[in-house]
Amino acid sequence: MKKNIYIGLLVWLVLSVVLLCLLPWVAFAFVKSDEGIVALNGMFIIIYYIYFIAVGIFAGINFKKMWSLPIITYIMFVYSMFIFFDYARSPYDPLQIATDEGALSVFVVGIIAMLVTALIKLAIKLANSL
């Protein structure tokens, strides 16, 4: 059972790298400049929220072992924002990027999904023990 947890964690981390780093790169590399920004905004509005909800649900299923998964995914998300929006050459502070309303809202959605899933699993466990 322990090996399956680590395999699941590895799969989610690889998926995070693909979604958070490779997908924005593809949008920047193969789509024209204005359309690339529109594609990135679409990814941010739709794909990232759905992905963070899925990460939260996955982490909530095994809360004791996977509680760090939304945090790791959030760090990767901020890192990809730092790279692809070229904040390295701008006057923005990385802490300002990490506390941006959009980035924090995605993180909070993932944490809430994790906590709700963990509470539902706990309620089912308590109901079955009665």
Side-chain angles (χ1 to χ4, degrees):
M1 184 72 176
K2 191 174 187 180
K3 193 180 238 184
N4 292 337
I5 291 170
Y6 293 122
I7 290 173
L9 182 63
L10 183 66
V11 166
W12 279 102
L13 290 177
V14 168
L15 191 60
S16 292
V17 168
V18 168
L19 273 175
L20 300 175
C21 294
L22 231 54
L23 207 56
W25 176 78
V26 168
F28 269 162
F30 297 113
V31 181
K32 295 179 184 174
S33 62
D34 292 340
E35 295 157 355
I37 296 296
V38 170
L40 280 176
N41 286 334
M43 283 188 301
F44 181 72
I45 291 170
I46 298 168
I47 295 174
Y48 290 162
Y49 279 100
I50 293 171
Y51 181 67
F52 270 82
I53 289 171
V55 166
I57 291 170
F58 180 73
I61 290 172
N62 193 353
F63 184 75
K64 289 181 182 178
K65 304 267 186 199
M66 300 289 188
W67 63 268
S68 63
L69 192 59
I71 298 168
I72 295 168
T73 308
Y74 174 69
I75 291 169
M76 292 173 69
F77 175 69
V78 170
Y79 179 71
S80 71
M81 284 178 55
F82 190 76
I83 290 174
F84 293 106
F85 288 119
D86 205 18
Y87 285 121
R89 295 187 204 151
S90 68
Y92 293 110
D93 183 27
L95 185 61
Q96 182 180 0
I97 298 167
T99 58
D100 183 26
E101 294 88 16
L104 271 180
S105 66
V106 171
F107 177 63
V108 168
V109 163
I111 293 293
I112 289 172
M114 178 182 66
L115 293 175
V116 167
T117 305
L119 288 174
I120 289 172
K121 186 176 177 188
L122 181 66
I124 290 171
K125 185 178 178 181
L126 289 175
N128 287 338
S129 68
L130 292 178

